[in-house]
Structure formats: C-alpha cells, structure tokens
Amino acid sequence: MKKTIALIGPSDSVEIMRESMVRFFPNVPYREYVRERIEDTHEVIEQCQRECDGLLFSGIGVQEAAKARCILTRPYAKIERGAYSLIRAFSEVIRQGISFDRLSIDCVTHQILHEVVREFGIPFGQVHSMPFSTKTPEQAFLDWHRELLESGQVDLAISGFGLVYQELVSHGHSALRMLPSSLQVRDTVEHLLTAIAAQGLRSAGIAIQIIQLSRNETYSTNQYDRMKDEGRFFLELLDYVRAVQGSIFTIGKREYVIFSTRGVIESPEHLEMFGLLIDWGRKNSINVSSGIGIGTTAYEAEKSAQTAISHSRELPEGGLFLVHDDHIRGPLGEEDELLYRTRVEDNALLRIAREMGTTPRYLDRIRAIIEKTGKNTFDSGDLAACLGISERSARRVLKKFMDNGHASVVGQGAPHTVGRPKKLFQIKL
C-alpha cells in the first residue's frame, strides 16, 4: 500500500511542495493542509495523522507550532531555511536590481547569514538579522520588520514566514519571500519516506508496558490526599495511553498494563512524555516503576516487560526500563541511563561471573557503566550511585572483585565527611 504524505504550511510553500511531489515523486500520494498562520497549524494535525502516513512541514516554524500544541505520532520532517534558501533570495534581489545596503532577514541563523554574505561576493551594507526561536511568535517577526522599514533603517525585508511577507506587502512595504527550493523538498521527502518505512518495520512489534505505583511514606499525607494524587496521575496516564494509541487495563492495586505497538510507544516523544509522568509522581510522593517489553508475540512482549519492571523496582524512586531481544535500556531519560544485555554470551564475562558467584548480566551492567563513564576506578559510593544500590552492597561487590583478582586498590579518595577516606578500586573487565 502506498504511503500518503501530508503537505503542511502556508499556501505559497505548499504550492512548491506540491510541484516537487508531482515532479520527483509522481507515484507518492499526498494531501494538502494549508494554514497561513503558523500558530494555526495545530488545527489540522489530528486530521493529518488520521489520513496520512508522514507529515512534511514547510519550515521549522510550522513544525514547532504543531509540536507545541499536539503530540506527533507519525514520522515528520521540515524543509530547512538554510544557505540555499538565502542564496535564492539574494539572487532575486540582484534580479530586481535592489540595493544590498540595508536589509532585514529573519529565520536563518547568524552563522548561515555570515557565511552566505562572505561567500556571495557582493558588498553588503547594514544587515539586520532575527533568527528563528520557538519562544518568538510570528507576530514579533512582523513587528520587527515593520519597525525597521517604517523607521527608515532598512529598505528591504526578507522573510521565511508567509504571513509576515503577505502583511508587509499588503501595507506597501518592500519585501521578499524566502521559499524552499524544489531540490530541498526532494531531499526532505526522501528522508521522510525512509522514516515512514522504518516506522513500519518497528510497528510490526508488539509493545507491552507494565506500570506499578508505590507511595513514598517519608512525606505524611492522609488517605484522601493520597487518593486525589493517584487519581490525578491516572488522568495524566490516560492522556499518555491515548497518545501511544494503546489500551490500558488494571491488573492489581496501583498496577496497570498498556498494550500498544513498538513504533509508537518507543518514539522519543512518548518516552519523554512518560518521563514527565515519572517526574510528576516523584514531586507528589508517588514512585512510578515501569517496564516496556517488545516482542513479536504478546507472550514474548509481556515476559520482556516483566524483566524490565524488575529492574525499575530496584531503584528507590522507580524509573522506566525497556527490554527488546536480549538488550535492556534504562532508566530511560535519566543521567545514568545504560544499555546492556539480559543474556550474556561473552565467555570471558561468563567465567568471571562463575568465579565471583554473581550473574553475567550484573557484570555486563558494570561494564556498560565503565564504557559510558570512560573510567574503571570507583569507590564504594560511586559504584552504589551508578548501580542504584546501597553503599554497603557496593562494598560487597568490590570485595568480590578483589577476592577473585578482578580489581585492585589504586589509591584513596578525599573524604567528604569526617572519617577514613574511601579506597579507590580499579575494576578489570
């Protein structure tokens, strides 16, 4: 089945996108969703994602406006307003015989502007620049150009925003539109089609997520307040379930299971969304332990989810882990996130695990810490923090390494409190 692409943006940009689709991708279906104001882009996103397989935004402003108000579940891409777009605009300035003495330019970065000005080989006068920022509304760019033009500081405005250009021209100001080129559209569509195909392969997997809540009893709250907090969490959780296009079931007290597909639940946007839920829980004395399992069957996905949540339960404040095949990743979104194996086939690691009387998976986790941090020297406090265990347990781990010849004492750390300094161990894996 052919994949349909949504063309999203102001009318002049969508016209170029349409011409490029017809020219370079005659067999790829597309639909047009025109909004002249980037702030109105969110109005069409739900329909786009229902009708199309990928979203093509005419520029970064249109894309970021959509992301600010909506959750994007389909692959998406934006057409950059980079050096090529700026060169095309400057070529039009030359064609019309307009002076380069006093210009105002938006959207492009200062670096790109300086590089193009340097390479273009034409003496420029005073150039005012206002790069794109997600914190700056479209109206602010219009007001900026208008003030410079009406005060006589510039003679020409070049804008990447369709509405800004239209408003300036309608009020009799001299302005040029910085539009995407057909080649830029072609390259971006090729990347988008690749992303759509990749998501199709990922979506073939089943995803099961188990979530378990526990209370942090350090903070005293009455039963009524606890129920209110958990009710608020569940409402937020329902928004997450809707975003991942899943189904949710209660499987026990404060325990839920979500069924979804890999391509959706594994996307960075949705992992970040669940990370915000975990943060909210921590601020309200609710520890959220969760595990995502990916598999070709529901049984395989559930088994992996159980493995993932078992790692999350080991952490005092919970977290999110993901298991797929023989790899585990987590806690997702945290500074100490690691990728290691659930099944180890490394003969050297298996031998060391037998000698120490521990699991190969645990050793592989330590090896992942060494690879990520770039150091193999720890004191008991460092190792405890990395592994999410008590310092007493970390001392036992280090002793096992020492007793079996896989670690050596290489010095002492500076004491942070009164008492003897901690020994520094160099682990050899």
Side-chain angles (χ1 to χ4, degrees), residues 356-377:
M356 292 179 54
T358 188
T359 63
R361 187 172 65 188
Y362 198 73
L363 292 183
D364 193 57
R365 187 176 173 187
I366 294 174
R367 183 163 64 180
I369 291 171
I370 292 172
E371 290 175 354
K372 180 178 180 179
T373 61
K375 69 171 189 175
N376 63 351
T377 302

Side-chain angles (χ1 to χ4, degrees), residues 387-429:
L387 293 174
I389 59 178
S390 69
E391 194 165 344
R392 183 178 179 182
S393 297
R395 284 196 293 269
R396 286 199 296 266
V397 171
L398 289 168
K399 185 176 184 302
K400 284 186 177 182
F401 274 104
M402 279 284 295
D403 292 346
N404 291 275
H406 300 297
S408 58
V409 177
V410 294
Q412 291 182 330
H416 301 291
T417 58
V418 177
R420 291 184 299 174
K422 296 176 181 178
K423 294 179 180 178
L424 292 175
F425 296 83
Q426 185 178 65
I427 297 177
K428 304 165 186 175
L429 281 178

Side-chain angles (χ1 to χ4, degrees), residues 228-265:
K228 280 175 55 180
D229 287 342
E230 290 170 15
R232 292 191 192 102
F233 178 87
F234 186 72
L235 291 176
E236 296 294 329
L237 182 62
L238 289 178
D239 286 339
Y240 168 74
V241 173
R242 181 170 180 263
V244 300
Q245 304 170 30
S247 301
I248 186 170
F249 301 91
T250 302
I251 57 175
K253 187 177 181 181
R254 300 174 181 164
E255 193 166 2
Y256 311 96
V257 62
I258 297 171
F259 292 83
S260 184
T261 56
R262 179 188 177 189
V264 177
I265 208 168

Side-chain angles (χ1 to χ4, degrees), residues 38-39 60-68 107 130-143 161:
I38 64 173
E39 285 87 354
I60 187 172
V62 181
Q63 174 185 285
E64 294 306 308
K67 290 172 65 178
C107 281
M130 188 175 183
F132 174 80
S133 169
T134 55
K135 297 179 181 179
T136 306
E138 193 173 24
Q139 182 65 39
F141 289 97
L142 173 60
D143 294 342
F161 297 98

Side-chain angles (χ1 to χ4, degrees), residues 129-359:
S129 173
M130 188 175 183
F132 174 80
S133 169
T134 55
K135 297 179 181 179
T136 306
E138 193 173 24
Q139 182 65 39
F141 289 97
L142 173 60
D143 294 342
W144 174 74
H145 280 295
R146 183 180 289 159
E147 181 181 348
L148 290 172
L149 287 162
E150 293 178 352
S151 65
Q153 297 180 62
V154 301
D155 301 316
L156 174 69
I158 300 176
S159 179
F161 297 98
L163 181 69
V164 172
Y165 167 74
Q166 291 170 13
E167 285 290 317
L168 291 175
V169 171
S170 68
H171 285 80
H173 295 300
S174 180
L176 284 178
R177 178 81 158 98
M178 188 161 42
L179 288 164
S181 73
S182 58
L183 295 180
Q184 285 175 303
V185 176
R186 182 196 65 184
D187 292 344
T188 307
V189 171
E190 286 177 348
H191 288 299
L192 180 57
L193 290 172
T194 301
I196 293 171
Q199 188 189 59
L201 292 174
R202 290 196 304 271
S203 297
I206 296 171
I208 292 180
Q209 181 173 3
I210 302 172
I211 302 162
Q212 189 175 62
L213 309 183
S214 61
R215 298 293 311 194
N216 184 348
E217 301 301 341
T218 303
Y219 304 96
S220 178
T221 56
N222 59 48
Q223 184 178 2
Y224 178 71
D225 288 337
R226 288 198 298 267
M227 291 174 67
K228 280 175 55 180
D229 287 342
E230 290 170 15
R232 292 191 192 102
F233 178 87
F234 186 72
L235 291 176
E236 296 294 329
L237 182 62
L238 289 178
D239 286 339
Y240 168 74
V241 173
R242 181 170 180 263
V244 300
Q245 304 170 30
S247 301
I248 186 170
F249 301 91
T250 302
I251 57 175
K253 187 177 181 181
R254 300 174 181 164
E255 193 166 2
Y256 311 96
V257 62
I258 297 171
F259 292 83
S260 184
T261 56
R262 179 188 177 189
V264 177
I265 208 168
E266 205 178 15
S267 70
E269 292 84 2
H270 296 135
L271 293 178
E272 180 182 359
M273 186 179 184
F274 194 81
L276 295 175
L277 267 177
I278 293 175
D279 291 340
W280 184 92
R282 288 170 180 166
K283 292 175 183 176
N284 291 274
S285 307
I286 300 174
N287 294 332
V288 182
S289 299
S290 184
I292 297 174
I294 307 295
T296 55
T297 65
Y299 172 79
E300 181 183 332
E302 183 183 3
K303 186 177 177 182
S304 294
Q306 292 287 359
T307 301
I309 197 172
S310 68
H311 286 264
S312 179
R313 292 191 191 106
E314 293 175 0
L315 301 181
E317 292 189 326
L320 176 62
F321 284 77
L322 185 148
V323 172
H324 180 219
D325 292 334
D326 61 348
H327 284 83
I328 183 165
R329 185 158 61 98
L332 298 176
E334 309 278 356
E335 289 184 1
D336 54 347
E337 179 181 326
L338 296 171
L339 174 65
Y340 50 100
R341 290 167 292 185
T342 59
R343 184 176 66 252
V344 178
E345 297 177 354
D346 186 312
N347 290 330
L349 214 58
L350 293 171
R351 175 179 55 79
I352 295 172
R354 284 194 300 271
E355 293 172 357
M356 292 179 54
T358 188
T359 63

Side-chain angles (χ1 to χ4, degrees), residues 1-5 25-30 51-54 193 196:
M1 183 177 178
K2 293 180 180 178
K3 303 300 181 183
T4 302
I5 292 180
F25 306 96
N27 297 320
V28 177
Y30 63 88
E51 297 176 345
C52 302
D53 303 286
L193 290 172
I196 293 171

Side-chain angles (χ1 to χ4, degrees), residues 21-53:
M21 292 296 296
V22 172
R23 178 182 173 188
F24 297 112
F25 306 96
N27 297 320
V28 177
Y30 63 88
R31 292 176 180 266
E32 299 177 19
Y33 303 87
V34 175
R35 285 295 183 274
E36 300 299 345
R37 289 165 42 90
I38 64 173
E39 285 87 354
D40 297 336
T41 304
H42 69 278
E43 298 174 352
V44 301
I45 296 303
E46 184 175 349
Q47 181 184 358
C48 287
Q49 299 193 126
R50 187 172 61 250
E51 297 176 345
C52 302
D53 303 286

